[in-house]
Amino acid sequence: MDNSSHRQFPGHSAQRGSPWRRGLAALALGLTGFLASGATRAAISDDEIRVGLLLDMKSIYAHLAGSGSEAAAQMAIEDVGGKVAGKPIRLLVADHANDVDRATNIARRWLDEEGVDVIADVVGSPIALAVQELNRTRGAVVFYNGVMTSAITGARCAPTGIHWMYDGYAFTTAIGRELTRAGAHSWYFVSVDNAFGANVEGDLAKVIRSSGGEVIGTVRHRLGEEQLFGRLRQAAESGADGIALINAGEDLIRAVRQSYDLLRVSKGRTVLAAVATTLNDVHMVKPQLAQGLKLAHSFYWNRDPETRAWSERFYARTGAMPNDLQAGVYSALTHYFKAVAASGSDKGATVVAKMRELPIRDPIVRNARLREDGRMVHDTYLLEVKKPGEVKEPWDYLRILRTIPAEQAFKPLAESDCPLIKH
């Protein structure tokens, strides 16, 4: 069992009208009306839009996406009235448990047997790359919000694979370039030993060196390793100006908590920066232990009145403020629904083409557009965790230090190794 579940929204009928009944209705409208309505029905497969969420609901990344991503998807569906192009929306949710084989099997069944039109998030880089390959010949739209690897829109890009929020290159630009230029010239990496860690290490090292800095060492740990202090102490004793944490979820939380016992970090002599964090991580660590931590995000709930208003709606149903992964699910689906409505089709290639044409306007992202390689570029933020005394209201833990415009944050198309790009 994969514990997948189905959500039914207004306008959905469990029993679709028979072809005979539809034919009679069309004849009553005349031949022209029949042909037109037949064309519309053919454009939306199975007479409904099927949305899948392939999330980690109970494992290491559950607090990053999980039920919060499901709530964001529900908000996007409700905000379009539960229908697109006159067709009802059905939401399917499955827990991949951070297991590549399990995730691949669920995605294969959804795409081959259950007619899922769009998968609105796939959390975790190794799992995302596996689903990208599975879907390459199937052509559904797949959004990636909780994925750091830039390979999704690089060497492993696909025509209908869309990288919407998190991005290793953009976040390493915010961390590596801005902090190196600010004085952290030497760096030591503490990385998780997987595809995500290796990919981000490479990107971050390039940014640091191109900004005039150097990487003086790297130490790696297993996914889910409990005791990281020895590796963190190794990094601190190197004398590096900055320690970059290249991990996520519970690994990142443990690393930040254990770093506070390092005097160089707690006294502020060494910059501690995390490449892959969310607001939930800071909430779980608490500002007392995370104060001064530098991080990069695609979204912050209290950035402006529009982000705050949307986030308060999210908080009302979840009891927590949204992070950028969760907000990205809403943003991605909102734009997808607009493209389906504008094109009158749920065919992946058609929808993606329309998504590139339409302006991206929602409460979540700023200065955004969808590129030919599948990367949605947007402004990115360098932030730091406030001191406990500076936190004036619940969840307002972060301070935006700098906004990096979209065209400066993301890898230029001219440097892309995506096979879809003609240089």
Side-chain angles (χ1 to χ4, degrees), residues 321-388:
M321 285 298 180
N323 61 43
D324 39 2
L325 279 72
Q326 296 160 343
V329 171
Y330 177 91
S331 176
L333 278 178
T334 296
H335 197 60
Y336 174 85
F337 294 149
K338 290 178 182 177
V340 171
S343 65
S345 173
D346 61 359
K347 184 179 179 181
T350 300
V351 176
V352 170
K354 184 58 67 174
M355 286 171 58
R356 290 198 178 99
E357 294 177 11
L358 296 174
I360 301 173
R361 293 175 183 158
D362 61 45
I364 310 305
V365 295
R366 301 290 181 272
N367 189 27
R369 69 181 181 89
L370 180 59
R371 299 194 316 197
E372 295 85 346
D373 59 350
R375 177 65 255 182
M376 190 274 282
V377 299
H378 52 275
D379 288 351
T380 302
Y381 309 105
L382 176 67
L383 310 98
E384 73 173 357
V385 179
K386 296 177 180 179
K387 296 178 181 179

Side-chain angles (χ1 to χ4, degrees), residues 67-401:
S67 59
S69 289
E70 182 178 356
Q74 291 170 341
M75 289 172 66
I77 294 170
E78 291 166 7
D79 285 353
V80 294
K83 292 183 179 182
V84 179
K87 304 299 180 183
I89 302 168
R90 194 203 310 185
L91 179 63
L92 295 83
V93 181
D95 179 6
H96 65 46
N98 203 35
D99 182 275
V100 173
D101 290 339
R102 179 186 177 96
T104 304
N105 289 334
I106 294 169
R108 181 180 293 109
R109 191 188 70 246
W110 277 359
L111 298 171
D112 292 349
E113 301 175 20
E114 299 190 29
V116 167
D117 302 299
V118 54
I119 299 178
D121 199 11
V122 183
V123 178
S125 294
I127 291 172
L129 290 169
V131 173
Q132 180 92 318
E133 291 308 311
L134 174 72
N135 185 58
R136 187 176 299 278
T137 57
R138 289 164 172 83
V141 177
V142 183
F143 288 105
Y144 304 101
N145 285 298
V147 175
M148 285 289 284
T149 176
S150 55
I152 285 288
T153 53
R156 304 278 293 276
C157 69
T160 58
I162 308 298
H163 202 168
W164 200 256
M165 291 296 274
Y166 250 45
D167 182 83
Y169 187 97
F171 286 3
T172 55
T173 296
I175 294 291
R177 186 181 67 197
E178 302 301 326
L179 294 179
T180 299
R181 290 178 177 177
H185 297 295
S186 61
W187 287 86
Y188 206 101
F189 295 169
V190 178
S191 306
V192 63
D193 191 8
N194 65 12
F196 149 59
N199 180 269
V200 176
E201 272 184 24
D203 284 344
L204 182 56
K206 288 178 184 177
V207 172
I208 289 171
R209 289 168 186 145
S210 68
S211 302
E214 62 176 336
V215 179
I216 63 175
T218 300
V219 63
R220 298 181 179 89
H221 65 83
R222 299 185 311 277
L223 183 71
E225 189 169 334
E226 293 285 339
Q227 294 301 322
L228 301 176
F229 183 75
R231 290 168 170 76
L232 295 163
R233 182 173 57 192
Q234 179 180 332
E237 291 177 351
S238 72
D241 299 322
I243 298 173
L245 303 177
I246 305 177
N247 48 21
E250 293 175 6
D251 288 336
L252 180 278
I253 290 170
R254 279 190 290 268
V256 174
R257 284 173 173 165
Q258 293 173 31
S259 292
Y260 194 75
D261 289 331
L262 301 168
L263 287 179
R264 287 185 61 87
V265 173
S266 61
K267 298 295 184 182
R269 293 194 293 269
T270 298
V271 173
L272 186 67
V275 176
T277 62
T278 69
L279 181 65
N280 310 68
D281 295 322
V282 178
H283 181 73
M284 294 177 74
V285 174
K286 304 300 181 189
Q288 178 62 38
L289 298 182
Q291 58 184 298
L293 176 70
K294 305 300 189 294
L295 36 84
H297 284 178
S298 302
F299 165 86
Y300 185 53
W301 74 269
N302 206 17
R303 180 189 181 277
D304 58 36
E306 190 176 11
T307 59
R308 185 183 180 99
W310 183 86
S311 299
E312 287 173 345
R313 290 178 54 208
F314 181 93
Y315 182 87
R317 67 171 66 203
T318 66
M321 285 298 180
N323 61 43
D324 39 2
L325 279 72
Q326 296 160 343
V329 171
Y330 177 91
S331 176
L333 278 178
T334 296
H335 197 60
Y336 174 85
F337 294 149
K338 290 178 182 177
V340 171
S343 65
S345 173
D346 61 359
K347 184 179 179 181
T350 300
V351 176
V352 170
K354 184 58 67 174
M355 286 171 58
R356 290 198 178 99
E357 294 177 11
L358 296 174
I360 301 173
R361 293 175 183 158
D362 61 45
I364 310 305
V365 295
R366 301 290 181 272
N367 189 27
R369 69 181 181 89
L370 180 59
R371 299 194 316 197
E372 295 85 346
D373 59 350
R375 177 65 255 182
M376 190 274 282
V377 299
H378 52 275
D379 288 351
T380 302
Y381 309 105
L382 176 67
L383 310 98
E384 73 173 357
V385 179
K386 296 177 180 179
K387 296 178 181 179
E390 298 171 336
V391 178
K392 302 304 181 184
E393 61 180 315
W395 290 92
D396 191 23
Y397 303 131
L398 306 179
R399 175 188 298 108
I400 296 177
L401 300 178

